[in-house]
Amino acid sequence: MSKQLMKGNDAVVCGALLAGCRGFFGYPITPASEIAHTAALLFPQAGRIFIQAESEVAAINMVYGASSAGVRSMTASSGPGISLKMEGISYLAASELPSVIVDISRVGPGLGNIYPSQGDYNQVVKGGGHGSYRCIVLSPNSVQEMCDFTMLAFELADRYRIPVFVLSDAYVGQMMEPLDMPAAIDPPGPPDWALTPEAATNGNVITSIFLNPEEMEAHVLHLQENYAGIQRQETRCETYRCEDADLILVGFGIVSRILRSAVDQAREQGLKVGLFRPQTLWPFPETQLLEHVGRVHDFLVVELNNGQLVQDIKLFVAGRSPIHFMNRVGGFVPSPEEVVEKARQILGKDAAAPVREKSSEVSVPK
Amino acid sequence: MSKQLMKGNDAVVCGALLAGCRGFFGYPITPASEIAHTAALLFPQAGRIFIQAESEVAAINMVYGASSAGVRSMTASSGPGISLKMEGISYLAASELPSVIVDISRVGPGLGNIYPSQGDYNQVVKGGGHGSYRCIVLSPNSVQEMCDFTMLAFELADRYRIPVFVLSDAYVGQMMEPLDMPAAIDPPGPPDWALTPEAATNGNVITSIFLNPEEMEAHVLHLQENYAGIQRQETRCETYRCEDADLILVGFGIVSRILRSAVDQAREQGLKVGLFRPQTLWPFPETQLLEHVGRVHDFLVVELNNGQLVQDIKLFVAGRSPIHFMNRVGGFVPSPEEVVEKARQILGKDAAAPVREKSSEVSVPK
Amino acid sequence: MADKTLSKPSAFQDVFARKPGVDKSGTHYCAGCGHGVAHKLIAEAVADFGLKDRAIIVAPVGCSVFLYYYFDFCAVSVPHGRAPAALTGISRVHPEAICISYQGDGDLAAIGLAEIIHAANRGERMAVFFVNNAIYGMTGGQMAPTTLVNMKTSTSPFGRQVEGEGHPMRMCEMIAGLESPVYVERVAVDSPQATMKARAAIRKALKIQMERKGFAFVEILSPCPTQWRVAPDQAGEWIRENMYPVFKLGVYRDKVQETDPRPAPPESLSAREVYALLTGEKDSGKAETAQTDSNNGRHSKSPEAPAIDSICCKLAGFGGQGVLTLGVLVAQAGMNADYHVTWLPSYGPESRGGTANSSVILSREEIGSPVVNDIDVLLAMNVPSLERFLPQMNRGGLVIYNSSIVQEEIEKRDGVKIVGVPAMDLAQTAGDVRAANVVLLGAYSALTGLFTNADLDYALSTSFPKPKAAEINRKAFAAGVEHVKGKEEGARI
Amino acid sequence: MADKTLSKPSAFQDVFARKPGVDKSGTHYCAGCGHGVAHKLIAEAVADFGLKDRAIIVAPVGCSVFLYYYFDFCAVSVPHGRAPAALTGISRVHPEAICISYQGDGDLAAIGLAEIIHAANRGERMAVFFVNNAIYGMTGGQMAPTTLVNMKTSTSPFGRQVEGEGHPMRMCEMIAGLESPVYVERVAVDSPQATMKARAAIRKALKIQMERKGFAFVEILSPCPTQWRVAPDQAGEWIRENMYPVFKLGVYRDKVQETDPRPAPPESLSAREVYALLTGEKDSGKAETAQTDSNNGRHSKSPEAPAIDSICCKLAGFGGQGVLTLGVLVAQAGMNADYHVTWLPSYGPESRGGTANSSVILSREEIGSPVVNDIDVLLAMNVPSLERFLPQMNRGGLVIYNSSIVQEEIEKRDGVKIVGVPAMDLAQTAGDVRAANVVLLGAYSALTGLFTNADLDYALSTSFPKPKAAEINRKAFAAGVEHVKGKEEGARI
């Protein structure tokens, strides 16, 4: 049957192959390594290129090369590896090379540990590399979406000539769920700007250096126009039981799964709670979020970091609704019960039970 | 005499030597290279270590080593080089190693060009590396401050065991001004946590890996507490003619110099304009900024990027005052006249003269 | 010949239109710079060999970052030092491309050292032209790995010191020490005679690309009068006097004759073929997929399945006892029984020799959190697992433990059914002690009736495709079923 | 001896208290792993040589990231592959430290290749222990650069292919090809006999550190039965059968005898000495500094200086005509005359052979923007500069141009004074055509009376400290003064 029980990391490889990805260039790092393992097994069988690069830096630059050659290509890593790729990602953005980067987040900073985290939000969403660039950032929360969003990532990358992140975490990458295998596609051949061994593309140049400030300014403004178009067109989100909610929970990735359980539990206890889940972290579904501002009384942002997404929510809501924050760090995830308890406090109901101390709000640096 | 006409980049080296910096580890990149040149000349004469590292990555890791050894050390680079250092910076933050990183910003993304830019704001201020960490970010706008803030950077780095950025730009780095040489200091010897060849430190360990989530959580929360203390203690800013201003201009680095000229020109024309200049970009002087909210009608943020600081200003002001934005990218800087014209428009006065088209507002991605 | 190198080769652009400024005929290089000569030799060879349409050149960071001002074929500028990595990406996906890397000494031997060595070691199909002028040019005359001993540069103002800064690095020698490169030679462009040899080497490296033979490396000693601070007409002499003794010209490796052309890489599978590879089905469309679902009959909803909304299972034991696989089996059977299912491992270093567990949820509704804190079903392979997870059991829950090694009395818990099964003994009898996990699956299955035979068949056949393992595991499963028969049937879950 | 390696060396911790979990006596390594043996050999040598207090070891990323669970001396864990770079930082600032790097094959030969090669080439004072087990351990058994041909790993599931994945990299051979390493040997820990040789090599590498002789590299072939999927007791045989033929044991370099101990590095200057180095003054405090100011008398405010609030100057010409220096001279004189001053260059690739300019502002008030768009004073060395900047002149402005090469008639502009000075001719007469910029400074100074002789003395002596250049430039300055004498005196600025 077409449904297979599969790890999220493996589903990424399926999505890549189904999308016609021609090259995978990676380096071992837990908890992303299964992506490389499965790619090593399947890419050659599919007549595609798999290279274990000598380093994270080499891997992203192999992607740079393959993308400049006009084929779909990708890499995958986690925290420290993503940091090493930042120069390459800035170059990909600057040269407008379509490319897909998968980040299976682990706990940082530093070597940290290999458990789930969302500490790379700022890095991936705000631009961890230098210069005025953007990447599209997709946030899957299931094995199915690990596959589907990888395919979508390739589509968006080609459509907008932009690097696209699939930002996931150790839980979504390591968990298994049934995958309903989507239909495969044959992507179009190399675009006319690509470097190919054919007369048609003779003399094509791909570069990101513009010594002349006029040219550079035009180029940077052109990039911003592209980004503005993406912001208009490509925001995606999912809402759950928000229609009559007094409190909306906001979270992405594995957290959104926990929040969904929390919504159900809260509803059972008579608390009108809903879930707003951004599926694109950039562009953020700001308009869709703001539809709830005014009608809903409070927002509770839950993250596995020191408070990163919550800053954006505050920016968008601009003081019109109270924004609450709850987090766990170090590899823990909050339980639905803890979230419900926090929701109960916010909604002014009596506490049903004490919650664990560490899951309460901590100060949020700005 | 103690005043010397000097480049900003050279003043950084003076500040480092005066602060007792023991090791400079760098790699060539325009427009930061003079720092390495001058360090190559002066550090050996001062019995200090200068190494031209094989790469930007090696340079930041030499800093990591020297810092773990308990001495003051630093590196300097620009855009692409700073991106390559992101893994190392995350590790420095995670291991709480005092260290100083100077970024003489150039235009990005990608190879870009070597003219002034502020496109690294998000990268440096929000954390371009992985994980929930922070760096202190100082923003000098004169040759004197290039020296003074480098010294301050070492002080703050030691006080809080944190990496400190001196975020400058190609103009402030390349320009010459008189430097009034500050008094030199002899920094304290290696702290008790450091790795030294002495019995007293036997068995010291510096690491950032905590496989146990409880330990990791405690570590990350400890970091956040340190950051909260820095936010309370270490914000710095400069204001100019803000007392009775209707419009406050906000900008850092070279832009703040242009804005100062614009304030004077605007005042000559009867426009009540003032300047708010953050000297620390993180922690941002939010309290000091908010003192003006309510009394002042408008804010105009001017940047050499696609709109990065302005997002933070919007976040802090939270809808209580209109925030306007003006930028140049590609290596240009706006002229004081252009800023005055924009101020005039905001204040609803008649335009005196048309301004150049490109310096008007562009759409700001979020 | 001299004539030829002075004329503009047809693989140069007629007018250097991309070059900023007024002069569109000369290069941007300083007087006496060797890049212009190297460019011309390459352009001439590309033109002579008819490779203009197929050539793709990677520009480094350095003075030659602008080489695309001149060459009339495909070019890409890449991050500092990464030309061999980027070109690897190109070379692998375009087997017909003639791949050229052009790098300076800082780019190739300092920041890009790992990339060039590994590309050479992999034997990537590319010609690398390494312009060695012993100094960084564009960024202001800093010390390069190839800077000579005692040579003064902007970052070695007292002259390069052996102690602390090392000897000049000899890249030809290092690369020739690897096994994969086909051809490694060092040449120079300090004189017309030397340039003739450089010309031959460049042509040879490109011919190797035409013949698809692999990695070719040509180091070109090249003048940089500006940063050396010598007059352009003295630069050739400077090379001969200072560089020749350190960087000996010559062929360091030549395996061209004995190297066979690379075979063409396999064709990339089509969408339809990829879908078949991933699913074992030949169809790539969703319509056919739906038909397949109903055809193979494995999606049979178990009619006698208990009316259960959701079950949270914990499978735990030592690493190596197969508790992750046990979780997968439960999840696969559950999936086949049309439950929503999630499986989540504990993982990390503890999985080598330590304890491990997996969490499985089966639910009739979409599953939110895949984390299991409150346990309905615990299958425990060892004592630490029981100790850790018993306190988390829900009322009405079921615990099955491996009594082959858990011999302590298990404390009774209110409303929790606890069943011991000598899983390892039964597995040993079935043929392999490692099948103990499947014994527990059999017991669990028999006690609850949660899955149909088809569900369990699917799980076992998917997880154990090999005949021998399949047989042992089916026996183990049956032993587990048999062991609990009549004992504790009708457990709620 | 066998006894000794089984006991716990005193450079190991008595109890592995940092290790998580219950067992604080054994290591976290798998059965049959070679790390434990390598650790013990190092700990034993460190203890025997009395180096515990001075030893600092860098842990890699990989299974041995946790080596600080065991060693009872200073340890630091660093980013993947960067141990040699981090250790360089330590080694340079602690000349008394015994510096040890411990790295695996992925760490050292893949992601960290550039760092190890360059540390070796610089001859850093460190012992590197390279544990080669031909595979990534901790992250799950991926292919390493040292993985054997046809060996199956999780990222080479069909076996490592020479074509595309290359041959195993031989690090000893590569490092021995450099000139700086003192000692390079490959050993193994597959048998007691081999381990004895490993022990000797490790001790030799550490002795080299005690003797301050430089870079020592010991590669240790080491078993990883878990990732190789062989039984621990078969792993030694596996090494001998599979690794020995590829990684030949032996000494690859030994320059210990002929190498002298490194001299102690120079002492770091004190604060007082650094201040003197940077200022030429012996005092490091601000109080004394203020006194110095009034003593040297150069801060003389020119009494006859015109009452001018601010002057925006543009100095422009071809690259090489000294227009940046000219700007510096104006700024230095202005600084000495107690103006606030800024100097801003145009810079970049155009500075090599193209046009260049610098902007200088002198002001009685603090200066905001250092950018000069509206020009009060233009000193132009060539025609393009005049063409570009004349339109930006303010009314009342002053233009002085180099009439040695600007021979065209200059269009008069309302309210702008324009003066030609044959700067290059006068400079040639003064002794060097390159002093033409200083001729313009003389003319500018004479025409405006802006600076005192002391101001100009300060500028010229600071910019031209060498006697010969000083003399020529003073002559050139005087020629500029002389040329405009009586002609256009009293220019506003």
Side-chain angles (χ1 to χ4, degrees), chain A residues 1 4 46 54 69 114 176 181 186 203 257, chain C residues 18 94 122 269 271 278 286 298 343 347 368:
Chain A
M1 71 178 163
Q4 296 178 42
E54 59 271 28
I114 58 178
M176 280 182 154
M181 198 71 72
D186 286 312
R257 296 285 293 259
Chain C
R18 293 190 183 115
H94 285 323
R122 288 191 304 265
L269 297 194
L278 296 182
K286 299 304 292 176
R298 280 180 301 188
W343 172 96
Y347 64 99

PDB file of all heavy atoms in Angstrom, chain A residues 1 4 46 54 69 114 176 181 186 203 257, chain C residues 18 94 122 269 271 278 286 298 343 347 368:
ATOM      1  N   MET A   1       0.854  -1.200   0.000  1.00  0.00           N
ATOM      2  CA  MET A   1       0.000   0.000   0.000  1.00  0.00           C
ATOM      3  C   MET A   1       0.879   1.235   0.000  1.00  0.00           C
ATOM      4  O   MET A   1       2.064   1.188   0.293  1.00  0.00           O
ATOM      5  CB  MET A   1      -0.918  -0.005   1.228  1.00  0.00           C
ATOM      6  CG  MET A   1      -0.185   0.245   2.526  1.00  0.00           C
ATOM      7  SD  MET A   1      -1.374   0.273   3.877  1.00  0.00           S
ATOM      8  CE  MET A   1      -0.267   0.063   5.254  1.00  0.00           C
ATOM      9  N   GLN A   4       3.208   4.166   4.380  1.00  0.00           N
ATOM     10  CA  GLN A   4       4.319   3.479   5.034  1.00  0.00           C
ATOM     11  C   GLN A   4       4.614   4.163   6.352  1.00  0.00           C
ATOM     12  O   GLN A   4       4.606   5.394   6.432  1.00  0.00           O
ATOM     13  CB  GLN A   4       5.582   3.549   4.166  1.00  0.00           C
ATOM     14  CG  GLN A   4       5.466   2.824   2.843  1.00  0.00           C
ATOM     15  CD  GLN A   4       6.739   2.989   2.024  1.00  0.00           C
ATOM     16  OE1 GLN A   4       7.844   2.914   2.540  1.00  0.00           O
ATOM     17  NE2 GLN A   4       6.570   3.228   0.736  1.00  0.00           N
ATOM     18  N   ALA A  46      18.193   5.879  -7.442  1.00  0.00           N
ATOM     19  CA  ALA A  46      17.341   6.689  -8.308  1.00  0.00           C
ATOM     20  C   ALA A  46      18.151   7.430  -9.369  1.00  0.00           C
ATOM     21  O   ALA A  46      17.621   8.299 -10.063  1.00  0.00           O
ATOM     22  CB  ALA A  46      16.552   7.693  -7.454  1.00  0.00           C
ATOM     23  N   GLU A  54      33.071  16.766   2.734  1.00  0.00           N
ATOM     24  CA  GLU A  54      34.120  16.768   3.751  1.00  0.00           C
ATOM     25  C   GLU A  54      33.742  17.639   4.936  1.00  0.00           C
ATOM     26  O   GLU A  54      34.334  17.511   6.010  1.00  0.00           O
ATOM     27  CB  GLU A  54      35.454  17.228   3.153  1.00  0.00           C
ATOM     28  CG  GLU A  54      35.462  18.620   2.523  1.00  0.00           C
ATOM     29  CD  GLU A  54      35.071  18.604   1.059  1.00  0.00           C
ATOM     30  OE1 GLU A  54      34.310  17.699   0.649  1.00  0.00           O
ATOM     31  OE2 GLU A  54      35.523  19.508   0.318  1.00  0.00           O
ATOM     32  N   ALA A  69      24.017  25.060 -11.541  1.00  0.00           N
ATOM     33  CA  ALA A  69      23.916  24.222 -12.739  1.00  0.00           C
ATOM     34  C   ALA A  69      22.469  23.981 -13.148  1.00  0.00           C
ATOM     35  O   ALA A  69      22.203  23.305 -14.134  1.00  0.00           O
ATOM     36  CB  ALA A  69      24.632  22.896 -12.505  1.00  0.00           C
ATOM     37  N   ILE A 114      21.295  16.646  21.738  1.00  0.00           N
ATOM     38  CA  ILE A 114      20.669  16.230  20.486  1.00  0.00           C
ATOM     39  C   ILE A 114      19.151  16.134  20.594  1.00  0.00           C
ATOM     40  O   ILE A 114      18.503  15.570  19.736  1.00  0.00           O
ATOM     41  CB  ILE A 114      21.246  14.872  20.062  1.00  0.00           C
ATOM     42  CG1 ILE A 114      21.011  13.839  21.174  1.00  0.00           C
ATOM     43  CG2 ILE A 114      22.725  15.010  19.760  1.00  0.00           C
ATOM     44  CD1 ILE A 114      21.505  12.459  20.824  1.00  0.00           C
ATOM     45  N   MET A 176       8.081   8.390  14.015  1.00  0.00           N
ATOM     46  CA  MET A 176       7.488   7.692  12.876  1.00  0.00           C
ATOM     47  C   MET A 176       5.990   7.918  12.862  1.00  0.00           C
ATOM     48  O   MET A 176       5.335   7.928  13.912  1.00  0.00           O
ATOM     49  CB  MET A 176       7.732   6.182  12.986  1.00  0.00           C
ATOM     50  CG  MET A 176       9.109   5.724  12.562  1.00  0.00           C
ATOM     51  SD  MET A 176       9.183   3.902  12.715  1.00  0.00           S
ATOM     52  CE  MET A 176      10.425   3.518  11.517  1.00  0.00           C
ATOM     53  N   MET A 181       2.348   8.387   0.447  1.00  0.00           N
ATOM     54  CA  MET A 181       3.350   8.862  -0.510  1.00  0.00           C
ATOM     55  C   MET A 181       2.699   9.739  -1.577  1.00  0.00           C
ATOM     56  O   MET A 181       1.821   9.294  -2.299  1.00  0.00           O
ATOM     57  CB  MET A 181       4.019   7.645  -1.164  1.00  0.00           C
ATOM     58  CG  MET A 181       5.337   7.938  -1.827  1.00  0.00           C
ATOM     59  SD  MET A 181       6.675   8.279  -0.643  1.00  0.00           S
ATOM     60  CE  MET A 181       6.970   6.638   0.035  1.00  0.00           C
ATOM     61  N   ASP A 186       8.227  15.245 -12.311  1.00  0.00           N
ATOM     62  CA  ASP A 186       9.444  15.483 -13.095  1.00  0.00           C
ATOM     63  C   ASP A 186       9.619  16.988 -13.189  1.00  0.00           C
ATOM     64  O   ASP A 186       8.848  17.664 -13.863  1.00  0.00           O
ATOM     65  CB  ASP A 186       9.313  14.877 -14.496  1.00  0.00           C
ATOM     66  CG  ASP A 186       9.421  13.371 -14.460  1.00  0.00           C
ATOM     67  OD1 ASP A 186      10.351  12.860 -13.816  1.00  0.00           O
ATOM     68  OD2 ASP A 186       8.567  12.700 -15.062  1.00  0.00           O
ATOM     69  N   GLY A 203      28.006  31.693 -21.842  1.00  0.00           N
ATOM     70  CA  GLY A 203      28.263  33.033 -21.328  1.00  0.00           C
ATOM     71  C   GLY A 203      27.417  33.408 -20.128  1.00  0.00           C
ATOM     72  O   GLY A 203      27.551  34.516 -19.600  1.00  0.00           O
ATOM     73  N   ARG A 257       2.057  20.282  17.968  1.00  0.00           N
ATOM     74  CA  ARG A 257       1.383  19.011  18.242  1.00  0.00           C
ATOM     75  C   ARG A 257       0.946  18.945  19.708  1.00  0.00           C
ATOM     76  O   ARG A 257      -0.144  18.475  20.038  1.00  0.00           O
ATOM     77  CB  ARG A 257       2.331  17.843  17.931  1.00  0.00           C
ATOM     78  CG  ARG A 257       2.738  17.733  16.467  1.00  0.00           C
ATOM     79  CD  ARG A 257       1.631  17.195  15.609  1.00  0.00           C
ATOM     80  NE  ARG A 257       1.324  15.819  15.928  1.00  0.00           N
ATOM     81  CZ  ARG A 257       1.743  14.764  15.213  1.00  0.00           C
ATOM     82  NH1 ARG A 257       2.472  14.948  14.131  1.00  0.00           N
ATOM     83  NH2 ARG A 257       1.409  13.539  15.567  1.00  0.00           N
TER      84      ARG A 257
ATOM     85  N   ARG C  18      31.139  43.446 -19.594  1.00  0.00           N
ATOM     86  CA  ARG C  18      30.754  43.341 -18.181  1.00  0.00           C
ATOM     87  C   ARG C  18      31.661  44.163 -17.277  1.00  0.00           C
ATOM     88  O   ARG C  18      31.360  44.366 -16.122  1.00  0.00           O
ATOM     89  CB  ARG C  18      30.847  41.873 -17.726  1.00  0.00           C
ATOM     90  CG  ARG C  18      29.839  40.959 -18.368  1.00  0.00           C
ATOM     91  CD  ARG C  18      29.845  39.596 -17.681  1.00  0.00           C
ATOM     92  NE  ARG C  18      28.926  38.692 -18.356  1.00  0.00           N
ATOM     93  CZ  ARG C  18      29.293  37.593 -18.992  1.00  0.00           C
ATOM     94  NH1 ARG C  18      30.564  37.246 -19.039  1.00  0.00           N
ATOM     95  NH2 ARG C  18      28.395  36.839 -19.580  1.00  0.00           N
ATOM     96  N   HIS C  94      26.302  17.659 -14.242  1.00  0.00           N
ATOM     97  CA  HIS C  94      26.437  17.868 -15.694  1.00  0.00           C
ATOM     98  C   HIS C  94      27.613  17.049 -16.213  1.00  0.00           C
ATOM     99  O   HIS C  94      28.724  17.582 -16.391  1.00  0.00           O
ATOM    100  CB  HIS C  94      26.668  19.341 -16.032  1.00  0.00           C
ATOM    101  CG  HIS C  94      25.455  20.188 -15.933  1.00  0.00           C
ATOM    102  ND1 HIS C  94      24.191  19.758 -16.298  1.00  0.00           N
ATOM    103  CD2 HIS C  94      25.289  21.466 -15.512  1.00  0.00           C
ATOM    104  CE1 HIS C  94      23.318  20.720 -16.113  1.00  0.00           C
ATOM    105  NE2 HIS C  94      23.942  21.766 -15.625  1.00  0.00           N
ATOM    106  N   ARG C 122      38.726  12.687  -3.931  1.00  0.00           N
ATOM    107  CA  ARG C 122      37.582  12.022  -4.570  1.00  0.00           C
ATOM    108  C   ARG C 122      37.808  11.839  -6.070  1.00  0.00           C
ATOM    109  O   ARG C 122      37.048  11.134  -6.731  1.00  0.00           O
ATOM    110  CB  ARG C 122      36.303  12.855  -4.375  1.00  0.00           C
ATOM    111  CG  ARG C 122      35.729  12.874  -2.972  1.00  0.00           C
ATOM    112  CD  ARG C 122      34.328  13.484  -2.932  1.00  0.00           C
ATOM    113  NE  ARG C 122      34.294  14.826  -3.500  1.00  0.00           N
ATOM    114  CZ  ARG C 122      34.398  15.955  -2.806  1.00  0.00           C
ATOM    115  NH1 ARG C 122      34.522  15.906  -1.490  1.00  0.00           N
ATOM    116  NH2 ARG C 122      34.373  17.112  -3.401  1.00  0.00           N
ATOM    117  N   LEU C 269      16.270   8.521 -12.519  1.00  0.00           N
ATOM    118  CA  LEU C 269      14.947   7.911 -12.691  1.00  0.00           C
ATOM    119  C   LEU C 269      13.891   8.989 -12.919  1.00  0.00           C
ATOM    120  O   LEU C 269      13.982  10.086 -12.388  1.00  0.00           O
ATOM    121  CB  LEU C 269      14.558   7.097 -11.450  1.00  0.00           C
ATOM    122  CG  LEU C 269      15.402   5.884 -11.078  1.00  0.00           C
ATOM    123  CD1 LEU C 269      14.663   5.042 -10.041  1.00  0.00           C
ATOM    124  CD2 LEU C 269      15.736   5.036 -12.291  1.00  0.00           C
ATOM    125  N   ALA C 271       9.918  10.443 -12.627  1.00  0.00           N
ATOM    126  CA  ALA C 271       8.973  10.546 -11.517  1.00  0.00           C
ATOM    127  C   ALA C 271       8.290   9.196 -11.277  1.00  0.00           C
ATOM    128  O   ALA C 271       8.201   8.712 -10.145  1.00  0.00           O
ATOM    129  CB  ALA C 271       7.936  11.626 -11.811  1.00  0.00           C
ATOM    130  N   LEU C 278      10.106   3.993  -4.268  1.00  0.00           N
ATOM    131  CA  LEU C 278       9.788   4.328  -2.878  1.00  0.00           C
ATOM    132  C   LEU C 278       8.623   3.522  -2.327  1.00  0.00           C
ATOM    133  O   LEU C 278       8.487   3.361  -1.117  1.00  0.00           O
ATOM    134  CB  LEU C 278       9.474   5.824  -2.740  1.00  0.00           C
ATOM    135  CG  LEU C 278      10.624   6.778  -3.060  1.00  0.00           C
ATOM    136  CD1 LEU C 278      10.191   8.213  -2.842  1.00  0.00           C
ATOM    137  CD2 LEU C 278      11.859   6.450  -2.228  1.00  0.00           C
ATOM    138  N   LYS C 286      -1.826   9.466  -7.878  1.00  0.00           N
ATOM    139  CA  LYS C 286      -2.624   9.205  -6.698  1.00  0.00           C
ATOM    140  C   LYS C 286      -3.825   8.338  -7.033  1.00  0.00           C
ATOM    141  O   LYS C 286      -4.272   7.533  -6.222  1.00  0.00           O
ATOM    142  CB  LYS C 286      -3.124  10.512  -6.075  1.00  0.00           C
ATOM    143  CG  LYS C 286      -2.043  11.432  -5.616  1.00  0.00           C
ATOM    144  CD  LYS C 286      -1.115  10.769  -4.629  1.00  0.00           C
ATOM    145  CE  LYS C 286      -1.831  10.470  -3.307  1.00  0.00           C
ATOM    146  NZ  LYS C 286      -0.942   9.730  -2.391  1.00  0.00           N
ATOM    147  N   ARG C 298      -4.982  -5.134   2.558  1.00  0.00           N
ATOM    148  CA  ARG C 298      -4.371  -5.144   3.879  1.00  0.00           C
ATOM    149  C   ARG C 298      -4.934  -4.051   4.785  1.00  0.00           C
ATOM    150  O   ARG C 298      -4.636  -4.006   5.959  1.00  0.00           O
ATOM    151  CB  ARG C 298      -2.858  -4.964   3.748  1.00  0.00           C
ATOM    152  CG  ARG C 298      -2.184  -6.250   3.380  1.00  0.00           C
ATOM    153  CD  ARG C 298      -0.715  -6.028   3.276  1.00  0.00           C
ATOM    154  NE  ARG C 298      -0.448  -5.004   2.246  1.00  0.00           N
ATOM    155  CZ  ARG C 298       0.780  -4.710   1.819  1.00  0.00           C
ATOM    156  NH1 ARG C 298       1.814  -5.330   2.334  1.00  0.00           N
ATOM    157  NH2 ARG C 298       0.967  -3.798   0.905  1.00  0.00           N
ATOM    158  N   TRP C 343       5.111   7.010  16.594  1.00  0.00           N
ATOM    159  CA  TRP C 343       6.195   6.267  17.260  1.00  0.00           C
ATOM    160  C   TRP C 343       7.306   7.247  17.533  1.00  0.00           C
ATOM    161  O   TRP C 343       7.679   8.022  16.655  1.00  0.00           O
ATOM    162  CB  TRP C 343       6.669   5.153  16.325  1.00  0.00           C
ATOM    163  CG  TRP C 343       7.903   4.403  16.754  1.00  0.00           C
ATOM    164  CD1 TRP C 343       7.948   3.223  17.429  1.00  0.00           C
ATOM    165  CD2 TRP C 343       9.274   4.747  16.472  1.00  0.00           C
ATOM    166  NE1 TRP C 343       9.247   2.822  17.610  1.00  0.00           N
ATOM    167  CE2 TRP C 343      10.082   3.734  17.031  1.00  0.00           C
ATOM    168  CE3 TRP C 343       9.884   5.811  15.823  1.00  0.00           C
ATOM    169  CZ2 TRP C 343      11.474   3.753  16.950  1.00  0.00           C
ATOM    170  CZ3 TRP C 343      11.271   5.844  15.747  1.00  0.00           C
ATOM    171  CH2 TRP C 343      12.056   4.809  16.310  1.00  0.00           C
ATOM    172  N   TYR C 347      16.559   8.235  22.204  1.00  0.00           N
ATOM    173  CA  TYR C 347      17.714   7.961  21.351  1.00  0.00           C
ATOM    174  C   TYR C 347      18.931   8.647  21.915  1.00  0.00           C
ATOM    175  O   TYR C 347      18.889   9.219  22.995  1.00  0.00           O
ATOM    176  CB  TYR C 347      17.446   8.416  19.911  1.00  0.00           C
ATOM    177  CG  TYR C 347      17.265   9.887  19.776  1.00  0.00           C
ATOM    178  CD1 TYR C 347      18.310  10.686  19.362  1.00  0.00           C
ATOM    179  CD2 TYR C 347      16.051  10.479  20.096  1.00  0.00           C
ATOM    180  CE1 TYR C 347      18.151  12.033  19.252  1.00  0.00           C
ATOM    181  CE2 TYR C 347      15.883  11.837  19.993  1.00  0.00           C
ATOM    182  CZ  TYR C 347      16.931  12.617  19.567  1.00  0.00           C
ATOM    183  OH  TYR C 347      16.785  13.969  19.459  1.00  0.00           O
ATOM    184  N   GLY C 368      -2.206  14.553  18.633  1.00  0.00           N
ATOM    185  CA  GLY C 368      -1.429  15.763  18.916  1.00  0.00           C
ATOM    186  C   GLY C 368      -0.034  15.368  19.325  1.00  0.00           C
ATOM    187  O   GLY C 368       0.767  14.886  18.506  1.00  0.00           O
TER     188      GLY C 368
END
